[in-house]
Amino acid sequence: MSDRASLELAGKVSLVTGASRGIGRAIALKLASLGAKVVICDIAEETAEKVVAEIKGQGGDAFSAVADVRDSEAVKAMVEEVTSRWEKIDILVNNAGINRDTLLLKMSDEAWDAVIDTNLRGTYACTKFALRSMMRQRWGRIISMASIAGRIGNVGQTNYAASKAGIIAFTKSIAKEVGSLNITANAIAPGFITTEMTDKMPQERREAVLDFIALKRYGKPEDVAELAGFLASDRASYITGQVIGIDGGMFA
Ligand code: NAP
């Protein structure tokens, strides 16, 4: 086992939402490998516990906190649980997200609300409650998962793209609000990353996407985790209010 005290994020407490699978899981494992303690937040306890076991198996420290990010009271209670167990939150990764793709004329209010509430309202609630600890200690990292769809739009994703564009504007605004307290806020805008979210897409749509990717391959959750690990570190201390694309070179 490595000497964890010498690792880059040793002593830091991180909270990753939607961390039981896909990109969130990869980010949680990455932060743990850099020495941070990790709270695995998800709606599903069973899968979250598997990631906790993986991290502990690699010598790290983690626990699972079940919360639906759409529910502000649940988020508040989760943040209180984290700060009572580990005293603080240094790094927040707003990763929990869903899509309900359909053309606008066919979109239900339920599909609109579910996506906006999970992606945008969830980011608002988690940031609002985690921020207090960061402000107290005058150090913090807020990393939120946007999407290329939030920058260039996408057919069938008016709800999703609007939620992700909202996350970008939210990130730029909060970066200005708390920058003087040494807290950075950045958004990551992935392109096509192979996860359960993209596995659900029709095969022909997945194949068509490849034509637009310069590197001619899909991304992996670990690719995104590398970027998140960097943004969480002191190496990224002068980067804030940015949207960083990670898409293999994807063009509109
Ligand atoms: P994923 O495989 O579908 O995983 C999403 C995670 O979020 C799951 O663990 C899910 O829990 C959790 N979650 C969903 N609703 C939640 C809620 N209300 N409260 C708490 N947790 C919730 O997705 P992914 O592909 O890894 O995507 C992760 C993030 O990256 C999302 O924000 C997504 O929009 C963004 N993104 C992904 C891609 C891509 O190509 N994959 C591209 C651009 C942006 P359950 O397991 O219980 O459902």
Side-chain angles (χ1 to χ4, degrees):
M1 194 193 305
S2 61
D3 176 8
R4 298 192 67 81
S6 66
L7 293 172
E8 192 169 22
L9 296 181
K12 302 290 188 209
V13 173
S14 61
L15 168 59
V16 185
T17 67
S20 66
R21 59 185 161 89
I23 294 170
R25 171 180 165 275
I27 292 175
L29 291 169
K30 182 73 202 173
L31 296 178
S33 77
L34 293 173
K37 295 179 179 180
V38 192
V39 182
I40 306 296
C41 161
D42 214 284
I43 341 188
E45 185 167 17
E46 202 180 317
T47 38
E49 275 303 330
K50 282 191 191 152
V51 182
V52 169
E54 261 184 279
I55 290 174
K56 288 189 169 168
Q58 291 165 11
D61 204 354
F63 73 86
S64 69
V66 176
D68 180 340
V69 296
R70 292 170 297 182
D71 178 350
S72 292
E73 284 307 309
V75 171
K76 184 167 182 261
M78 171 181 67
V79 166
E80 283 168 3
E81 186 188 353
V82 177
T83 50
S84 73
R85 278 175 79 153
W86 282 344
E87 288 172 12
K88 58 175 186 164
I89 296 173
D90 301 291
I91 301 158
L92 169 67
V93 182
N94 288 308
N95 168 79
I98 61 166
N99 63 337
R100 293 278 167 79
D101 297 355
T102 188
L103 295 174
L104 182 63
L105 287 182
K106 293 183 180 169
M107 190 169 294
S108 64
D109 288 355
E110 190 277 330
W112 177 269
D113 289 344
V115 169
I116 299 291
D117 285 355
T118 306
N119 301 2
L120 186 53
R121 189 192 159 96
T123 296
Y124 143 79
C126 294
T127 306
K128 179 172 156 182
F129 292 113
L131 198 55
R132 192 158 291 150
S133 172
M134 297 181 190
M135 289 171 84
R136 254 197 313 269
Q137 69 216 18
R138 290 190 159 41
W139 197 99
R141 295 283 186 267
I142 301 160
I143 301 164
S144 302
M145 214 50 68
S147 167
I148 192 168
R151 301 173 109 177
I152 65 172
N154 199 16
V155 173
Q157 292 199 312
T158 49
N159 52 356
Y160 184 78
S163 74
K164 296 301 187 180
I167 287 174
I168 290 171
F170 176 87
T171 297
K172 290 178 179 291
S173 301
I174 195 65
K176 289 185 174 175
E177 278 190 28
V178 298
S180 64
L181 298 171
N182 197 29
I183 299 168
T184 67
N186 291 291
I188 294 178
F192 191 108
I193 310 297
T194 306
T195 67
E196 285 182 39
M197 183 179 274
T198 46
D199 287 349
K200 286 186 299 191
M201 283 167 58
Q203 180 69 11
E204 36 325 331
R205 212 176 124 200
R206 283 195 284 151
E207 280 169 15
V209 168
L210 270 183
D211 289 342
F212 297 94
I213 303 176
L215 293 177
K216 298 298 168 205
R217 63 175 175 83
Y218 305 124
K220 299 188 295 290
E222 291 73 20
D223 294 322
V224 183
E226 281 297 331
L227 177 57
F230 169 68
L231 288 174
S233 75
D234 275 326
R235 284 176 290 146
S237 59
Y238 201 57
I239 300 174
T240 196
Q242 302 302 308
V243 189
I244 303 172
I246 179 156
D247 56 23
M250 235 177 152
F251 309 110

